[in-house]
Amino acid sequence: MPETVKRHLSELDLTGRSFLTIHDYSPAEVVSLLDLAVALKDAQKRRAAHAVLEGRAVAMIFMKTSTRTRMSFEVGIEQLGAQPMFLNANDIQLRVGETIKDTANVMSRYVDAIMIRTFAQQDVEDLARYGQIPVINGLTDTHHPCQGMADAMTIREHVGKLDGARLVYIGDGNNVAHSLAEVGAKTGMQVVICTPEDYKPDAAIVARAQEDAQATGGTVELTSDVAAVEGADVIYTDTFTSMGQEAEHDVRVAALAAYQVNMDLVRRAGPQVKVMHCLPAHWGEEITEEVLYSPHSVVFDQAENRLHAQKAIMAAVIA
Ligand code: CP
Ligand code: NVA
């Protein structure tokens, strides 16, 4: 086991905690998790043994589709020496009426943690409340905290710092925007969320992040003016139509068209800017293919970091 992994793991005291939002974690805990993620990434690249969860099992419930989250969790669980268990919505009784409370109690008897991707944040909170094992939020309608952690790791790699880094999120004020505001607030970033008036992020989540930011010297601001990208270290976008909003697709694409991340916007930001996207991307809607494959883009490093960031979370919270 690499010394760095051991050391960072011993610095953290998170055993048994659920990972439901980034807001729930202190700035020091967020930074320590990122440090552990870097150590685990290094271990994996060197093929150094780091099976810190040998003999454990982790269930993954997916009530929505996924490529990255499913793959990175499944591979990450195996790399940590544990058994992954993929549970598609159609495979389990939860979908056809079994309660979250009963599901939580039963699953707690078989596995050591649950990762869940679903619609309502309340369902994830309930699963954690009723179960006896940590629950990890793999995306809800309001949060995507594992994504936020991988994003912070990627910004630290590519911008060289988090403290004072200027991140401009542009597009729909959605789950990904919320988790970015939260991780930015915990790590001293200058986060700007740039959306049309009707697509702003949730006011309560933003207010809470602004309060958190006071402890780190970070900022979280809202604007509708795309001029906000000028001088940004990072431009970040996400789909205009999140899972569950498919019926609104055409209205959203029209309303958000002026917020597309294309080469004109990237040039306006400046030569230093990195472009991020949690993926999946919709070419010609929120981003162009040209930007996605330009030298500014770090989206595939970002996707890779899901693996390392989530391994850190699992290693830290699973007993
Ligand atoms: N970014 C992300 O969560 O991707 P998936 O929907 O493919 O898991
Ligand atoms: N905002 C998107 C993120 C997908 C990873 C969604 O919720 O569908």
Side-chain angles (χ1 to χ4, degrees):
M1 175 87 53
E3 276 307 316
T4 47
V5 172
K6 258 196 231 163
R7 179 160 52 82
H8 290 303
L9 206 45
S10 70
E11 280 165 15
L12 284 158
D13 183 21
L14 301 176
T15 310
R17 289 262 300 272
S18 285
F19 192 78
L20 307 183
T21 73
I22 295 171
H23 166 74
D24 298 336
Y25 281 70
S26 73
E29 288 167 344
V30 169
V31 170
S32 292
L33 280 171
L34 295 175
D35 291 341
L36 177 59
V38 171
L40 287 165
K41 180 172 184 172
D42 178 64
Q44 195 250 328
K45 296 287 180 199
R46 291 190 291 110
R47 299 279 183 258
H50 55 280
V52 297
L53 294 180
E54 197 134 30
R56 316 296 204 290
V58 181
M60 306 179 290
I61 303 176
F62 282 91
M63 308 303 278
K64 291 175 174 171
T65 52
S66 169
T67 297
R68 280 142 290 268
T69 305
R70 191 260 165 102
M71 292 184 69
S72 55
F73 265 101
E74 186 156 341
V75 168
I77 292 163
E78 292 266 11
Q79 288 177 0
L80 292 174
Q83 177 195 353
M85 190 181 297
F86 173 67
L87 302 166
N88 194 18
N90 295 327
D91 300 337
I92 53 174
Q93 305 286 15
L94 185 64
R95 178 63 165 255
V96 286
E98 186 164 18
T99 62
I100 288 182
K101 186 171 183 175
D102 291 354
T103 303
N105 276 297
V106 170
M107 289 182 77
S108 298
R109 301 296 178 107
Y110 299 136
V111 297
D112 299 282
I114 305 169
M115 191 251 43
I116 180 166
R117 163 170 289 197
T118 191
F119 294 86
Q121 178 73 15
Q122 190 60 50
D123 287 351
V124 177
E125 310 268 346
D126 288 346
L127 196 62
R129 180 154 61 100
Y130 294 124
Q132 292 87 48
I133 52 176
V135 172
I136 298 172
N137 183 353
L139 179 146
T140 62
D141 292 343
T142 40
H143 292 277
H144 199 358
C146 294
Q147 182 72 55
M149 294 298 287
D151 296 342
M153 184 178 176
T154 310
I155 294 168
R156 205 162 72 166
E157 278 175 3
H158 283 280
V159 177
K161 61 176 184 186
L162 289 171
D163 196 30
R166 182 174 165 82
L167 165 69
V168 181
Y169 174 93
I170 180 160
D172 179 32
N174 61 13
N175 44 8
V176 169
H178 294 153
S179 290
L180 281 173
E182 293 195 350
V183 80
K186 296 287 182 183
T187 57
M189 294 173 61
Q190 294 170 16
V191 180
V192 181
I193 301 178
C194 178
T195 69
E197 275 298 314
D198 291 343
Y199 293 89
K200 281 194 201 156
D202 180 85
I205 292 173
V206 171
R208 200 171 72 171
Q210 286 170 332
E211 209 170 293
D212 283 348
Q214 287 173 13
T216 63
T219 52
V220 179
E221 291 167 20
L222 305 188
T223 182
S224 292
D225 185 354
V226 300
V229 300
E230 288 165 15
D233 293 304
V234 177
I235 300 177
Y236 193 123
T237 191
D238 180 20
T239 183
F240 290 160
T241 312
S242 285
M243 290 180 273
Q245 299 173 331
E246 289 78 6
E248 299 170 30
H249 174 267
D250 293 355
V251 175
R252 289 178 155 270
V253 169
L256 286 147
Y259 293 77
Q260 184 189 71
V261 178
N262 51 39
M263 280 314 291
D264 286 343
L265 194 86
V266 169
R267 277 190 283 271
R268 194 164 175 186
Q272 76 295 337
V273 78
K274 306 292 179 204
V275 175
M276 296 177 67
H277 189 312
C278 59
L279 305 177
H282 307 80
W283 295 359
E285 293 186 11
E286 77 278 4
I287 196 164
T288 60
E289 178 191 2
E290 191 183 9
V291 170
L292 208 58
Y293 284 90
S294 77
H296 295 277
S297 171
V298 297
V299 298
F300 300 108
D301 288 346
Q302 180 186 0
E304 179 189 326
N305 283 338
R306 294 291 302 280
L307 171 67
H308 311 298
Q310 289 158 193
K311 282 167 72 180
I313 295 164
M314 289 189 285
V317 304
I318 296 174

